C-alpha cells in the first residue's frame, strides 16, 4: 500500500516501519522523515519535516503564508521531488484539490468530473453514472451541465471536490481550497467536507493558514514553522472543540498564540 | 498570518437548514442570463457603414475632379460588375480562386498542425526551427513567386507553393503561441489526474490551446488568400486557371478601371464573407463557452 521513496535516507535515524500502527490500530498512509526541500541554491524552504498521517485521519496543516505548505503538498503528491529525507506515500498517488478550483473551462461540471474518471480508466457507461453520483454528493446535480464560468466560486470548489473524489484515491490533499470564499459559503463547505469525509472514509490533509478553519475541520492540527518550514507543534481536536464555543475558543486562542510566536521570531 | 480573535467556528444549524441555505446560495449565485438569439445591429451597423462609404465615394466622383474612366463611380463599377456577371467571368474567377484557396488552406492546416504540436512540445526542435518559422512569417510570400515560376512554371503548383509559404508558418506560430499561453495549472491538474503524455496532449494541451490555434488559422487564411491573389496577379497563362487575381490583372491590361475596381471589391467581399460566415461564429462560440466574452465589444 505504501511505497518507500528514499532520497538520501539518513541511516542514523533509521526509517520508520511501514507497518507501525497508531493507538487506534490504523496504518500510516503518509510518513515523512526529515524531509527537506530547497529550490536551486536558495535557502531550504522545508527542513527536517517529520510527520505521520494515519488511515482515515483528517489532518489540518497550519502555517503562515509562504512557509511551504503548498510545497509540502506538492512533495506528497509527487508533483515535485524532495531534496533530502525520505517519505512514504500511497503507490497510486493522491487526489489533489487546488486553491483555485482549476477546473477546465472548456468542459462542463459533469465533463470535468468525467475526465477524472476517464483518466482513471473507468468505462463510458459507468463514468456517467458515477459522475452523477459524485455531483449529487456535493449537491450539484442541478448544475451539472454548466460551464465553470457560469458557477459561483463556492459551486466551482464543490465541482473540484467532486473531481478529486472521482480520482478515488485513499488520500486527499487539499490546498487552502476555501480561502477565497465568503464566510457563509465556507461554513457550508466545511459541513459538506466533514460529511463527505465521514461517508467516504478518505484520509485528508487539509492545508490552511486560518486557525479557526483548522480547528473546525481537523482531528489533529499540525503547525508548520516558517523559513525553514518544519512541524513544530501539534494539537488533538476533539468533537467537543467543534460543538462547544468555549472549548473551541480556548483551543483557537492557544494555537493562534503559538502561530504568532512563530511569526514573531522572524521580526 | 495572525488573525484577530473573533468567535471560533463551530458546527451550527441542522443538516436540513444547511441544505436549504445552500440551495438558496446556489440559485442566487449562478449565472442564469438567457442569451439573445440574434442581434439585428450586427447586420444593420456594418450595412450602414458601407452605405456611408458608398455615398462619400459617389459624392467625390460627382465633384468631377478626375476623369471618369480613371476614377469610376459606384454606379459605373456596379455596371461593369453586372457585365462581368452576365458573361460568367465573375463566377468563374470567384469559383477558381475560392477552390484554390480552400484546397491550399486545408493542406496548410494538415501540414502545419503536427509541425506546430511537435515544435511546441520538443524544446530542441523549437530552439532550432522557431526563429526560422517566425522569419518565414514576416517574409512576404509574394517574394516566392519568381522562384516558384522558375521551379514549377506557369502551373497550379506555383500558386499553391506561394500559398503554403504564406499560410503554414502563421498556423504553426498560432498553435505554438496557443500552447505557450496555457496556464501551468492545467498541466498540473492533468498530472494529478494521472494523464499519460498522449492523454495530456489530447485532453489538456489541445483544448487549452484551441483559442490560439483558431487565431492562427484565421491569420493563416488571411495569408493564404493574400498570397493567392498575389500569385494570380503575377503568374498568368500557361495551365493556370482564371482566378480573381487574373481578372484584376486583365483589367489593368485592358486599362478598364471598372473591371479593376470590380475585382478588388469581389476580393474584399470574399474575405469579409469568409470572416463572417466561418471564423467569427467559431471564435465566438469558443470564447463564450469559456466565459471569455464578457465585457468585450464583439
Ligand atoms: N518553484 C519555486 N521556485 C522557487 N521558490 C519557490 C518555488 N515554489 C515555492 N517557492 C518558495 O517557497 C516558499 C514556500 O512557498 P509555498 O507556496 O509552499 O508557501 P505556502 O505556505 O503554500 O504559502 P501560501 O499560504 O501563500 O500559499 C516561498 O518562499 C516561495 O517563494
Ligand atoms: Mg500555498
Amino acid at each position: 500500500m505504501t511505497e518507500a521513496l528514499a532520497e538520501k535516507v539518513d541511516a542514523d535515524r533509521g526509517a520508520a516501519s511501514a507497518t507501525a500502527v497508531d493507538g487506534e490500530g490504523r496504518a500510516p498512509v503518509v510518513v515523512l522523515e526529515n524531509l527537506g526541500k530547497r529550490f536551486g541554491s536558495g535557502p531550504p524552504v522545508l527542513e527536517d519535516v517529520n510527520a505521520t498521517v494515519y488511515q482515515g485521519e483528517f489532518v489540518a496543516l497550519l502555517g503562515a503564508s509562504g512557509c511551504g505548505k503548498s510545497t509540502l503538498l506538492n512533495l506528497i503528491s509527487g508533483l515535485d521531488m524532495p531534496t533530502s529525507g525520505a517519505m512514504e506515500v500511497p503507490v497510486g498517488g493522491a487526489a489533489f484539490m487546488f486553491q483555485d478550483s482549476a477546473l477546465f473551462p472548456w468542459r462542463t461540471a459533469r465533463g470535468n468530473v468525467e475526465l477524472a474518471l476517464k483518466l482513471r480508466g473507468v468505462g463510458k457507461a459507468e463514468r456517467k453514472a458515477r459522475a452523477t453520483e459524485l455531483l449529487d454528493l456535493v449537491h450539484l446535480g442541478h448544475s451539472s451541465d454548466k460551464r465553470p464560468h457560469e458557477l459561483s466560486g463556492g459551486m466551482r470548489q464543490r465541482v473540484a471536490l467532486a473531481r478529486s473524489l472521482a480520482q478515488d484515491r485513499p488520500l486527499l490533499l487539499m490546498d487552502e481550497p476555501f480561502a477565497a470564499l465568503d464566510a457563509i459559503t465556507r461554513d457550508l463547505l466545511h459541513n459538506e467536507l466533514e460529511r463527505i469525509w465521514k461517508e467516504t472514509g478518505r484520509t485528508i490533509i487539509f492545508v490552511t493558514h486560518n486557525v479557526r478553519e483548522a480547528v473546525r475541520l481537523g482531528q489533529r492540527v499540525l503547525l508548520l514553522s516558517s523559513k525553514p518550514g518544519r512541524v513544530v507543534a501539534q494539537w488533538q481536536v476533539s468533537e467537543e472543540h467543534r460543538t462547544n464555543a468555549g472549548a473551541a475558543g480556548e483551543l483557537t486562542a492557544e494555537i493562534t498564540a503559538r502561530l504568532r510566536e512563530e511569526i514573531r521570531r522572524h521580526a | 498570518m495572525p488573525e484577530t480573535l473573533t468567535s471560533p467556528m463551530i458546527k451550527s444549524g441542522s443538516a436540513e437548514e444547511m441544505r436549504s441555505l445552500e440551495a438558496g446560495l446556489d440559485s442566487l449565485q449562478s449565472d442564469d442570463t438567457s442569451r439573445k438569439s440574434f442581434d439585428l445591429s450586427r447586420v444593420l451597423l456594418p450595412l450602414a457603414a458601407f452605405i456611408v462609404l458608398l455615398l462619400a465615394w459617389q459624392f467625390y466622383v460627382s465633384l468631377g475632379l478626375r476623369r471618369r474612366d480613371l476614377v469610376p463611380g459606384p454606379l459605373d463599377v456596379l455596371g461593369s460588375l453586372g457585365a462581368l456577371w452576365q458573361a460568367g467571368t465573375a463566377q468563374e474567377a470567384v469559383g477558381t480562386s475560392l477552390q484554390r484557396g480552400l484546397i491550399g488552406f486545408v493542406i496548410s492546416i494538415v501540414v502545419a498542425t503536427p509541425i506546430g504540436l511537435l515544435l511546441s512540445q520538443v524544446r530542441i526542435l523549437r530552439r532550432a526551427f522557431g526563429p526560422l518559422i517566425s522569419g518565414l512569417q514576416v517574409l512576404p510570400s509574394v517574394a516566392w513567386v519568381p522562384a516558384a515560376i522558375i521551379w514549377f512554371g506557369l502551373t497550379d503548383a506555383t500558386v499553391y507553393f506561394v500559398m503554403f509559404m504564406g499560410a503554414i508558418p502563421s498556423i504553426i506560430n498560432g498553435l505554438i503561441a496557443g500552447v505557450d499561453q496555457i496556464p501551468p495549472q492545467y498541466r498540473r491538474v492533468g498530472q494529478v489526474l494521472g494523464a499519460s503524455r498522449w492523454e495530456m496532449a489530447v485532453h489538456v494541451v489541445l483544448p487549452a490551446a484551441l483559442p490560439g490555434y483558431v487565431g492562427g488559422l484565421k491569420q493563416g487564411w488571411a495569408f493564404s488568400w493574400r498570397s493567392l491573389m498575389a500569385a494570380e496577379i503575377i503568374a498568368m497563362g500557361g495551365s493556370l486557371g482564371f482566378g480573381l487575381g487574373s481578372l484584376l490583372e486583365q483589367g489593368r491590361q485592358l486599362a478598364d478601371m471598372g473591371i479593376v475596381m470590380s475585382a478588388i471589391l469581389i476580393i474584399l467581399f470574399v474575405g469579409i464573407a469568409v470572416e463572417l460566415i466561418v471564423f467569427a461564429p467559431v471564435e465566438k462560440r469558443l470564447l463564450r463557452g469559456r466565459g471569455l466574452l464578457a465585457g468585450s465589444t464583439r
Side-chain angles (χ1 to χ4, degrees):
Chain A
M1 164 89 193
T2 52
E3 161 195 61
L5 221 170
E7 306 263 350
K8 284 194 241 159
V9 185
D10 190 345
D12 293 342
R13 313 199 189 200
S17 154
T19 54
V21 293
D22 74 343
E24 294 169 45
R26 297 180 294 190
V29 174
V30 176
V31 181
L32 310 177
E33 276 171 41
N34 306 319
L35 202 66
K37 173 74 184 176
R38 63 169 79 220
F39 291 100
S41 56
V45 172
L46 297 172
E47 199 174 64
D48 287 334
V49 175
N50 287 292
T52 306
V53 177
Y54 295 94
Q55 178 76 51
E57 226 186 343
F58 197 131
V59 171
L61 188 63
L62 187 67
S65 261
C67 73
K69 305 182 294 291
S70 300
T71 306
L72 185 57
L73 284 198
N74 286 344
L75 296 183
I76 296 174
S77 67
L79 281 176
D80 211 341
M81 281 298 169
T83 41
S84 65
M87 62 180 188
E88 293 174 20
V89 294
V91 177
F96 206 131
M97 193 173 157
F98 297 94
Q99 180 160 356
D100 55 328
S101 61
L103 297 172
F104 293 134
W106 57 90
R107 284 178 169 260
T108 59
R110 164 183 294 283
N112 271 283
V113 176
E114 282 189 4
L115 180 63
L117 294 166
K118 184 187 171 96
L119 293 179
R120 217 185 80 204
V122 177
K124 192 160 187 184
E126 203 196 328
R127 216 146 63 207
K128 197 151 186 264
R130 187 84 185 104
T132 307
E133 238 171 73
L134 286 166
L135 285 166
D136 283 341
L137 185 67
V138 294
H139 300 314
L140 274 181
H142 53 85
S143 299
S144 59
D145 291 324
K146 291 203 164 136
R147 294 282 176 98
H149 73 272
E150 297 170 305
L151 303 172
S152 72
M155 293 163 93
R156 261 178 250 162
Q157 285 303 39
R158 273 145 66 195
V159 178
L161 179 59
R163 177 173 69 180
S164 49
L165 294 173
Q167 291 183 257
D168 203 23
R169 307 262 160 72
L171 176 62
L172 173 55
L173 307 173
M174 308 180 81
D175 191 356
E176 305 190 35
F178 308 143
L181 304 179
D182 67 273
I184 293 185
T185 308
R186 188 159 3 142
D187 283 345
L188 277 171
L189 288 180
H190 287 160
N191 285 342
E192 287 216 5
L193 180 59
E194 190 179 25
R195 173 178 62 84
I196 288 167
W197 168 60
K198 284 182 174 152
E199 277 174 26
T200 59
R202 294 281 205 291
T203 308
I204 298 183
I205 302 181
F206 186 100
V207 158
T208 177
H209 57 237
N210 184 331
V211 179
R212 301 191 303 143
E213 185 171 52
V215 172
R216 165 69 186 86
L217 287 172
Q219 290 182 298
R220 193 149 61 96
V221 177
L222 301 184
L223 179 64
L224 208 59
S225 63
S226 302
K227 291 188 179 166
R230 60 165 69 102
V231 179
V232 287
Q234 62 167 308
W235 293 266
Q236 294 290 335
V237 186
S238 67
E239 186 63 18
E240 203 203 340
H241 291 121
R242 270 187 268 278
T243 46
N244 179 326
E250 255 169 55
L251 185 60
T252 307
E254 184 187 332
I255 298 179
T256 304
R258 186 67 216 274
L259 178 57
R260 286 183 176 171
E261 189 186 310
E262 267 313 312
I263 294 170
R264 236 178 255 127
R265 284 199 306 118
H266 296 277
Chain B
M1 201 148 303
E3 45 194 326
T4 43
L5 277 182
T6 50
S7 62
M9 291 182 191
I10 52 170
K11 292 184 191 176
S12 61
S14 68
E16 201 51 34
E17 280 167 21
M18 283 304 182
R19 187 71 203 88
S20 59
L21 183 60
E22 184 175 65
L25 275 181
D26 284 359
S27 74
L28 276 179
Q29 293 175 338
S30 50
D31 171 20
D32 240 347
T33 49
S34 56
R35 291 165 190 154
K36 260 211 216 157
S37 56
F38 189 73
D39 188 353
L40 210 60
S41 72
R42 275 186 190 287
V43 178
L44 291 183
L45 282 178
L47 205 66
F50 181 67
I51 291 175
V52 167
L53 284 178
L54 271 188
L55 286 178
W57 179 10
Q58 180 64 53
F59 175 71
Y60 174 75
V61 172
S62 64
L63 288 181
L65 299 175
R66 298 282 163 90
R67 273 169 50 193
R68 203 54 179 267
D69 59 326
L70 289 185
V71 184
L75 291 176
D76 307 322
V77 173
L78 196 69
S80 66
L81 255 181
L84 285 173
W85 188 269
Q86 217 100 67
T89 327
Q91 294 93 314
E92 187 202 339
V94 170
T96 310
S97 289
L98 258 188
Q99 190 192 350
R100 280 175 176 164
L102 211 68
I103 295 176
F105 184 50
V106 168
I107 297 179
S108 301
I109 295 177
V110 172
V111 174
T113 304
I115 298 180
L117 268 184
L118 204 66
L119 288 189
S120 66
Q121 299 298 319
V122 186
R123 177 177 309 207
I124 303 183
L125 292 179
R126 170 83 178 270
R127 291 243 165 105
F129 292 103
L132 181 66
I133 305 258
S134 302
L136 278 178
Q137 201 189 354
V138 177
L139 182 76
S141 51
V142 202
W144 291 101
V145 175
I149 292 179
I150 294 174
W151 287 333
F152 306 113
L154 291 176
T155 62
D156 275 358
T158 297
V159 176
Y160 284 121
F161 177 79
V162 177
M163 279 172 74
F164 294 156
M165 296 316 281
I168 292 178
S170 51
I171 298 178
I172 294 179
N173 267 333
L175 185 52
I176 292 180
V179 172
D180 281 350
Q181 283 162 14
I182 299 178
Q185 186 78 324
Y186 291 164
R187 285 210 173 86
R188 285 155 54 86
V189 172
Q191 208 179 332
V192 162
L193 294 181
S196 65
R197 219 188 145 101
W198 168 250
E199 287 169 334
M200 186 78 98
V202 173
H203 295 299
V204 180
V205 174
L206 268 183
L210 205 54
Y213 180 52
V214 170
L217 289 184
K218 196 169 140 179
Q219 205 186 23
W221 164 257
F223 274 52
S224 59
W225 185 244
R226 285 190 211 177
S227 314
L228 175 63
M229 291 305 114
E232 282 181 352
I233 291 173
I234 299 176
M236 270 180 76
S239 68
L240 278 168
F242 189 80
L244 281 170
S246 329
L247 179 65
L248 188 57
E249 176 63 9
Q250 195 184 50
R252 185 193 68 79
Q253 282 166 2
L254 299 175
D256 185 336
M257 208 43 204
I259 296 184
V260 170
M261 290 302 285
S262 300
I264 290 179
L265 283 183
I266 298 176
I267 294 173
L268 192 65
F269 177 74
V270 171
I272 294 175
V274 170
E275 160 69 20
L276 284 186
I277 297 171
V278 182
F279 287 107
V282 169
E283 236 177 358
K284 205 169 146 201
R285 236 196 106 191
L286 200 67
L287 294 182
R288 179 153 59 197
R290 297 170 187 221
L292 294 174
L293 265 193
S296 95
T297 51
R298 290 177 72 97

